[in-house]
Amino acid sequence: MSSAIAPVKPSSTTGPKEVELVLLKEQNGVQFTTSNLISPTGQTHPSGEERETWGKKIDFLLSVIGFAVDLANVWRFPYLCYKNGGGAFLVPYIFFMVIAGMPLFYMELALGQYNREGAAGVWKICPVFKGVGFTVILISLYVGFYYNVIIAWALFYLFSSFSGELPWIHCNNTWNSPNCSDLNDTMINDTHKATPALEYFERGVLHLHESTGINDLGLPRWQLTACLAVVIVVLYFSLWKGVKTSGKVVWITATMPYVVLTVLLLRGVTLPGAIDGIKAYLSVDFLRLYDAQVWIEAATQICFSLGVGFGVLIAFSSYNKFSNNCYRDAIITSSINSLTSFFSGFVIFSFLGYMSQKHNVALDKVATDGPGLVFIIYPEAIATLPGSSVWAVIFFIMLLTLGIDSAMGGMESVITGLLDEFKFLHKHRELFTLFVVVSTFLISLICVTNGGIYVFTLLDHFAAGTSILFGVLIEAIGIAWFYGVDRFSDDIEEMIGQRPGLYWRLCWKFVSPCFLLFMVVISFATFNPPKYGSYYFPTWANMIGWCLSLSSMIMVPLYAIYKFCTLPGSCCDKVAYAITPETEHHLVERGEVRQFTQSQSEKRFSADDDRLQTDT
């Protein structure tokens, strides 16, 4: 017989029930009644706590899809697929998607929905790990400092597109240098020449030529500042009332990119050279699978494309009804995200194939990723089309909608995480949201200076690289090994009436943590200092970048130390309190908590034996 007595969870899989008493008749002063069980609406947690929920189920799905499907789906995945063996790249991509991407996505949705709290509050299930909640909140905040700037660039380009002639077609503008060349034959091959599109981005928009490096930033450019302010205003009025407002905004921002991508694809496939570009995108080179770098890049893409580790999935799912089928949601939304990445490749490479043929150069001369693809190469391709201004407007509207809902998700992670942690802020959500977005705006101003692209590059390199992998690793360990996969599975069964299968439990317990540990090690081992073009950052800038990265990761040990020091009792009691759900702390006092039960029982039996020997 086991000496361990674990707390028994309620057998009901539908949460709490209300009892309705119905008066049948009254006889001689005695009332005869019957009782009926009333099924819950699905909005109330077993603890009895009520929480705001999404107006419609589709609001939640569109919000998750809108967050996960962002600019990287357009400028990152297609290029990786082309560079790493075309269709062969899908093999490691789908493999890591199945063993790590989907399980982690499912885990975060279930974690937020069951506990109905933000990224920090959910760790009432294992208090010592609450630091990882603050880690992901900080990461989302840091990303907001530079991600909003990308949207501001897109807005600037959108305004510039409302003209008879696009400003990045010729070299006769005030910002152009003597190196600018309109000649198509020298545009790609001559490294000493610059294209009008390149100079428009770096000199006309960023004014990079007025800065010598990160130590010479200058003042914010008023045009970009105004665009950034518009982005912040849109974000505020999308978030200020919570999911009731943001859930309506995503009906436009999450669906518009699919409409535009389809329109661009229909136009792209009619261009000369488009089919060659698509063939290059899909060409299968299985020999590339022998290259370890291909597998590393596939794993990295999975980690970042699904959006796990930012606290957004936890925040969004916390507003679901308690009985919502989060398993089905995880499968649907993660699959749509990956399919969107694959679909966008057809759009991108149809235009890149056109550019390759037009300039009579190899495709790898025009294929690139990152901001250069959507702000230099693609605008240049659009500029050569009839009705180029119309196509430019359509394209940059797509970029805006791709960026806005992802930025909304990051902001919501910060707002929900802090509101749930500091309950007094709930009554002042509008003011607190204003404080967060204005603070983000003020810090983002450093990225719209003459040398702002250097700060942008530094933030992009350090804010959510190794730190996000570390955060998800700690999150997975906390749930699988301290809270327990079995208990976590019980929570899911209580919500949806179905226990996760063996596959999901094995992934949570072993596969995903090992995968994440591998990624963290690889991230450190393959680290390369950031650079922009030919500019290499000074040592002090890299040190600031590492400090930024460590500032979020250090929250895990700092909070653990704080929690351990503030908990009552002996060292053993402190550990017990630290890893036991807050709702069961009273069981620690009685020695009825899982792994501590046996030792406490042995103490009681030993004490009883001593008393018996004394009596005899």
Side-chain angles (χ1 to χ4, degrees):
M1 182 178 66
S2 174
S3 59
I5 305 175
V8 179
K9 294 183 72 67
S11 60
S12 171
T13 61
T14 57
K17 294 182 174 63
E18 297 178 0
V19 178
E20 178 186 35
L21 294 178
V22 181
L23 179 63
L24 297 179
K25 62 180 180 178
E26 182 174 351
Q27 182 177 356
N28 297 327
V30 179
Q31 294 180 340
F32 294 89
T33 63
T34 185
S35 60
N36 298 320
L37 289 177
I38 304 175
S39 297
T41 62
Q43 297 187 21
T44 307
H45 186 269
S47 66
E49 297 178 1
E50 293 185 358
R51 185 177 179 85
E52 178 187 13
T53 57
W54 297 95
K56 296 179 181 178
K57 171 65 176 287
I58 191 66
D59 295 351
F60 164 70
L61 292 177
L62 288 176
S63 296
V64 173
I65 292 170
F67 165 71
V69 177
D70 67 348
L71 295 166
N73 292 74
V74 174
W75 75 34
R76 180 69 176 160
F77 176 85
Y79 175 74
L80 286 178
C81 195
Y82 163 73
K83 188 180 80 168
N84 293 302
F89 180 72
L90 297 177
V91 173
Y93 181 83
I94 294 174
F95 174 72
F96 289 126
M97 176 77 171
V98 171
I99 69 165
M102 281 187 174
L104 293 171
F105 199 92
Y106 182 17
M107 181 186 74
E108 287 206 348
L109 289 185
L111 181 65
Q113 183 173 307
Y114 184 83
N115 293 285
R116 304 177 74 75
E117 298 258 7
V122 294
W123 290 102
K124 59 189 176 185
I125 64 173
C126 193
V128 74
F129 281 91
K130 183 178 280 190
V132 75
F134 293 113
T135 293
V136 300
I137 289 173
L138 277 177
I139 291 172
S140 290
L141 188 64
Y142 294 161
V143 170
F145 294 158
Y146 69 90
Y147 196 85
N148 295 336
V149 175
I150 303 175
I151 309 174
W153 293 343
L155 187 61
F156 187 95
Y157 269 81
L158 178 63
F159 290 149
S160 301
S161 300
F162 288 101
S163 60
E165 185 178 68
L166 296 175
W168 55 84
I169 292 180
H170 299 299
C171 290
N172 56 357
N173 303 288
T174 56
W175 57 79
N176 289 127
S177 71
N179 289 330
C180 184
S181 174
D182 289 326
L183 300 178
N184 293 332
D185 57 347
T186 62
M187 182 185 66
I188 302 294
N189 295 317
D190 192 344
T191 57
H192 299 289
K193 295 293 183 180
T195 66
L198 173 63
E199 290 211 340
Y200 179 72
F201 179 62
E202 292 192 341
R203 299 173 68 91
V205 178
L206 303 181
H207 289 261
L208 184 60
H209 61 289
E210 298 181 29
S211 171
T212 59
I214 196 170
N215 57 335
D216 178 27
L217 297 179
L219 296 175
R221 308 297 305 185
W222 72 266
Q223 298 95 332
L224 289 178
T225 300
C227 291
L228 184 61
V230 171
V231 172
I232 293 298
V233 170
V234 171
L235 286 175
Y236 174 71
F237 285 106
S238 299
L239 296 169
W240 71 319
K241 292 294 185 181
V243 296
K244 297 297 184 184
T245 53
S246 64
K248 300 300 178 285
V249 174
V250 293
W251 279 78
I252 298 174
T253 58
T255 57
M256 181 66 75
Y258 293 96
V259 176
V260 176
L261 281 172
T262 302
V263 171
L264 290 174
L265 177 62
L266 293 176
R267 181 65 181 98
V269 294
T270 64
L271 298 173
I275 302 302
D276 294 332
I278 293 174
K279 286 181 178 178
Y281 171 54
L282 296 177
S283 63
V284 178
D285 181 9
F286 285 110
L287 293 178
R288 294 284 290 137
L289 297 181
Y290 290 101
D291 186 353
Q293 189 62 32
V294 173
W295 292 80
I296 291 172
E297 292 194 349
T300 304
Q301 178 66 14
I302 283 295
C303 285
F304 294 108
S305 66
L306 289 178
V308 294
F310 290 92
V312 179
L313 301 178
I314 294 174
F316 280 164
S317 62
S318 72
Y319 295 108
N320 277 334
K321 294 180 180 180
F322 183 72
S323 58
N324 175 67
N325 192 335
C326 55
Y327 168 70
R328 182 177 57 202
D329 294 345
I331 299 298
I332 292 173
T333 52
S334 58
S335 299
I336 289 177
N337 174 70
S338 295
L339 289 174
T340 303
S341 298
F342 185 64
F343 175 67
S344 66
F346 290 90
V347 181
I348 297 301
F349 274 86
S350 64
F351 277 85
L352 291 181
Y354 163 66
M355 289 289 290
S356 174
Q357 178 170 313
K358 182 176 177 61
H359 301 301
N360 195 27
V361 295
L363 186 65
D364 58 3
K365 295 291 184 180
V366 293
T368 184
D369 65 342
L373 174 64
V374 295
F375 291 112
I376 299 174
I377 302 297
Y378 215 88
E380 186 176 339
I382 289 175
T384 63
L385 302 176
S388 57
S389 294
V390 175
W391 291 109
V393 168
I394 292 174
F395 177 70
F396 289 111
I397 286 177
M398 181 191 71
L399 292 190
L400 281 174
T401 53
L402 279 172
I404 283 290
D405 45 16
S406 296
M408 285 167 52
M411 288 286 187
E412 188 61 58
S413 171
V414 176
I415 294 167
T416 297
L418 295 178
L419 285 178
D420 288 339
E421 184 62 21
F422 306 101
K423 304 294 186 183
F424 68 91
L425 292 173
H426 271 286
K427 297 180 180 179
H428 311 286
R429 179 183 171 102
E430 293 88 349
L431 287 176
F432 182 68
T433 301
L434 181 64
F435 170 76
V436 171
V437 297
V438 169
S439 300
T440 301
F441 169 73
L442 294 176
I443 297 176
S444 297
L445 288 177
I446 197 172
C447 292
V448 295
T449 57
N450 295 334
I453 189 64
Y454 299 122
V455 180
F456 172 91
T457 303
L458 198 69
L459 288 172
D460 184 41
H461 200 81
F462 286 102
T466 304
S467 56
I468 198 76
L469 298 173
F470 172 80
V472 184
L473 171 62
I474 300 301
E475 188 177 283
I477 291 174
I479 292 174
W481 290 92
F482 285 83
Y483 183 62
V485 167
D486 289 338
R487 175 174 288 204
F488 187 58
S489 299
D490 291 341
D491 294 344
I492 294 175
E493 185 178 12
E494 189 175 351
M495 289 189 293
I496 67 177
Q498 180 181 357
R499 189 175 179 81
L502 178 63
Y503 168 77
W504 298 103
R505 299 200 301 274
L506 286 176
C507 285
W508 290 330
K509 186 81 170 182
F510 303 106
V511 180
S512 294
C514 290
F515 167 79
L516 290 166
L517 179 61
F518 168 76
M519 290 306 303
V520 170
V521 172
I522 287 295
S523 178
F524 279 108
T526 61
F527 172 78
N528 289 313
K531 68 172 186 173
Y532 180 80
S534 59
Y535 177 81
Y536 288 86
F537 287 79
T539 303
W540 63 266
N542 285 310
M543 291 180 64
I544 290 176
W546 274 113
C547 288
L548 182 75
S549 185
L550 291 172
S551 68
S552 58
M553 291 189 284
I554 203 171
M555 297 302 295
V556 174
L558 283 182
Y559 188 86
I561 293 171
Y562 159 77
K563 196 67 180 177
F564 191 79
C565 292
T566 56
L567 286 171
S570 64
C571 182
C572 186
D573 291 334
K574 288 176 182 288
V575 173
Y577 280 118
I579 66 172
T580 302
E582 292 179 357
T583 56
E584 299 176 2
H585 276 189
H586 63 283
L587 299 177
V588 177
E589 301 173 2
R590 302 206 301 260
E592 298 177 3
V593 178
R594 291 178 294 176
Q595 60 264 52
F596 287 86
T597 303
Q598 185 172 1
S599 61
Q600 295 290 345
S601 300
E602 289 174 351
K603 290 180 180 179
R604 288 198 296 271
F605 288 135
S606 177
D608 290 340
D609 289 341
D610 290 341
R611 283 195 297 271
L612 287 173
Q613 292 177 2
T614 302
D615 292 340
T616 56

